Amino acid sequence: SSPIAWLRTRFYYLLIRLYFDQEFSIEEFTRGAKQAFSVVSKLLSQRKLDLLEELVSAEVLQVLKEKISLLPDSHRDALAADIDAIMYTTEGDVRIYYDDDGRKFVSILMCFWYLNGANLPDEVPGEAKVFQIVFGDENMKEKKHLLMANYEFQREFTEGAKPDWTITRIEHPRLLE
């Protein structure tokens, strides 16, 4: 990311610590986001959407129910990310906002790059190229795809609100469209 974007996100983290949660740590948040991403992506892959109700917003869950039912098995398998297969994680957009009722919210977009061994075609829909990595020698090739996912986490910081982060956006480009 650009130096300006990096500075802007660090400024937002400072604001979160100053005005919302004095113990907020982006490192701790990132660890939790990676765990949540791994759990949610596996549940999506297994079509266990009823287990996502406490983790994902109702609006996102409704959209997922429609999309998951239409996915081919190979794309559904590619959604799953083992926590050890997450190669790179970065924060995207950070927002602090208030709604019309004066409730306070923070949302953080997280971008994950992960390896997955699903049997995807070389060219996936939309004519976008998926990276492929081959492990092993010629006789024992193991093909993995380097895939990307964006998950947005939101938490309400209004006094009396539950201190839980909820996933309010799930994107698996070229897989879950």
Side-chain angles (χ1 to χ4, degrees), residues 96-107:
I96 297 173
Y97 58 97
Y98 297 81
D99 71 3
D100 293 337
D101 297 326
R103 297 183 309 165
K104 302 179 268 189
F105 295 90
V106 171
S107 68

Side-chain angles (χ1 to χ4, degrees), residues 21 23-35 110 165:
D21 181 358
E23 296 178 17
F24 178 81
S25 157
I26 190 56
E27 293 81 13
E28 185 178 323
F29 175 83
T30 300
R31 277 193 297 278
K34 285 169 93 172
Q35 290 175 336
M110 296 296 294
W165 290 91

Side-chain angles (χ1 to χ4, degrees), residues 42-96:
K42 288 176 186 175
L43 291 173
L44 285 174
S45 176
Q46 298 165 1
R47 292 185 179 160
K48 294 182 178 178
L49 302 179
D50 54 323
L51 298 177
L52 295 175
E53 289 179 8
E54 295 294 317
L55 302 170
V56 178
S57 72
E59 298 83 12
V60 170
L61 194 54
Q62 185 58 41
V63 171
L64 289 172
K65 286 178 180 179
E66 295 168 13
K67 289 183 176 184
I68 292 292
S69 66
L70 303 173
L71 279 184
D73 289 343
S74 61
H75 286 190
R76 201 180 76 244
D77 293 343
L79 296 175
D82 287 324
I83 197 159
D84 295 333
I86 300 172
M87 298 288 102
Y88 182 70
T89 304
T90 187
E91 312 96 44
D93 193 29
V94 179
R95 296 182 307 146
I96 297 173

